[in-house]
Amino acid sequence: QVQLVESGGGVVQPGRSLRLSCEASGFTFSAYAMHWVRQAPGKGLEWVAVISDDGSNEYYVDSVKGRFTFSRDNSKNTVYMQMNSLRVEDTAVYYCARALKAAAGLPFHWGQGTLVTVSA
Amino acid sequence: EIVLTQSPDTLSLSPGERATLSCRASQSISSKYLAWYQQKFGQTPKLLIFGASTRSTGIPDRFSGSGSGTDFTLTISRLEPEDFAVYYCQQYGSSPYTFGQGTKLDIK
């Protein structure tokens, strides 16, 4: 069955960097777009970024553009989010999600998430 | 950016009642690229509806979606105890693929 396992979260000071990973299994990884969606404590869902199946295209929410970089390694069935210049408002659970095959913009299958806390 | 506004913020109903949740977009959503998710406390979101009205695999038929353009609705025909949760709409027609702020459905 589809499994998505995020890792790399933790506590980091403002201005520092962190790299999240999401390892996928149970499906043909290279055939699907992948997403990151975040949820601040007690708040709603915020879509963060998507990467195409071959990694050639990425799109981001404005609040992370220029700071976050989404990449993937199809040989390792893994996506990454490099997060630089972190801000307090980036504190959230970060979910990795696989898109629906027929709709690359739709997060369909979600991982359990990894918590990122940005605090001095 | 397409802004999605859900209403109401909180809906208090009893099991067996009908729930109607609204999602309004700041501009027309192309090709009905509108989805609904359910999130229970401490759990990951679950996709209920995509394409505005297509139920995802395994979703009971008491859940239905409708609408087009800028106005969309999620209807739960007869509430079961397990339906009390937070519901989000999301548009996936144009990046950034925004979510609404959520509607909390709680037990009256």
Side-chain angles (χ1 to χ4, degrees):
Chain A
Q1 74 278 20
V2 174
Q3 279 203 310
L4 299 167
V5 180
E6 301 94 335
S7 61
V11 180
V12 62
Q13 293 178 326
R16 303 298 291 264
S17 298
L18 209 57
R19 189 175 85 152
L20 305 182
S21 300
C22 171
E23 185 171 359
S25 60
F27 63 99
T28 305
F29 181 73
S30 60
Y32 291 85
M34 297 292 292
H35 295 259
W36 287 100
V37 178
R38 67 186 179 183
Q39 188 168 33
K43 303 297 185 183
L45 300 171
E46 181 182 29
W47 179 83
V48 176
V50 63
I51 190 166
S52 59
D53 53 4
D54 63 359
S56 61
N57 292 291
E58 312 123 53
Y59 300 95
Y60 302 88
V61 68
D62 282 352
S63 59
V64 309
K65 278 181 187 174
R67 301 189 299 123
F68 289 14
T69 302
F70 197 175
S71 61
R72 66 190 295 162
D73 185 338
N74 284 350
S75 68
K76 295 182 178 179
N77 286 2
T78 301
V79 295
Y80 306 95
M81 181 65 87
Q82 177 66 42
M83 303 188 295
N84 298 332
S85 303
L86 282 160
R87 304 168 180 169
V88 171
E89 55 266 33
D90 294 320
T91 295
V93 174
Y94 285 74
Y95 296 103
C96 163
R98 191 200 80 179
L100 196 64
K101 189 72 170 80
L106 181 62
F108 175 54
H109 197 102
W110 298 55
Q112 290 302 306
T114 186
L115 176 61
V116 172
T117 303
V118 184
S119 173
Chain B
E1 170 178 325
I2 298 176
V3 176
L4 299 180
T5 303
Q6 293 185 238
S7 61
D9 288 333
T10 303
L11 184 59
S12 298
L13 294 170
S14 300
E17 291 193 292
R18 180 185 185 91
T20 303
L21 287 67
S22 174
C23 177
R24 178 162 289 177
S26 60
Q27 55 189 279
S28 184
I29 295 174
S30 60
S31 302
K32 295 190 174 184
Y33 287 152
L34 192 284
W36 290 93
Y37 294 85
Q38 176 194 68
Q39 187 178 32
K40 297 180 182 179
F41 183 76
Q43 297 186 18
T44 61
K46 179 199 297 187
L47 179 67
L48 300 175
I49 301 282
F50 62 95
S53 59
T54 302
R55 276 189 298 277
S56 186
T57 305
I59 302 303
D61 61 6
R62 65 179 181 274
F63 291 90
S64 63
S66 62
S68 63
T70 61
D71 288 294
F72 298 86
T73 301
L74 174 69
T75 301
I76 311 171
S77 58
R78 285 176 55 86
L79 285 165
E80 298 287 342
E82 62 267 28
D83 297 338
F84 292 91
V86 181
Y87 292 83
Y88 297 94
C89 58
Q90 186 222 358
Q91 67 81 19
Y92 56 100
S94 63
S95 177
Y97 302 125
T98 45
F99 286 89
Q101 84 280 12
T103 290
K104 183 179 180 182
L105 178 57
D106 64 17
I107 299 176
K108 190 172 183 180

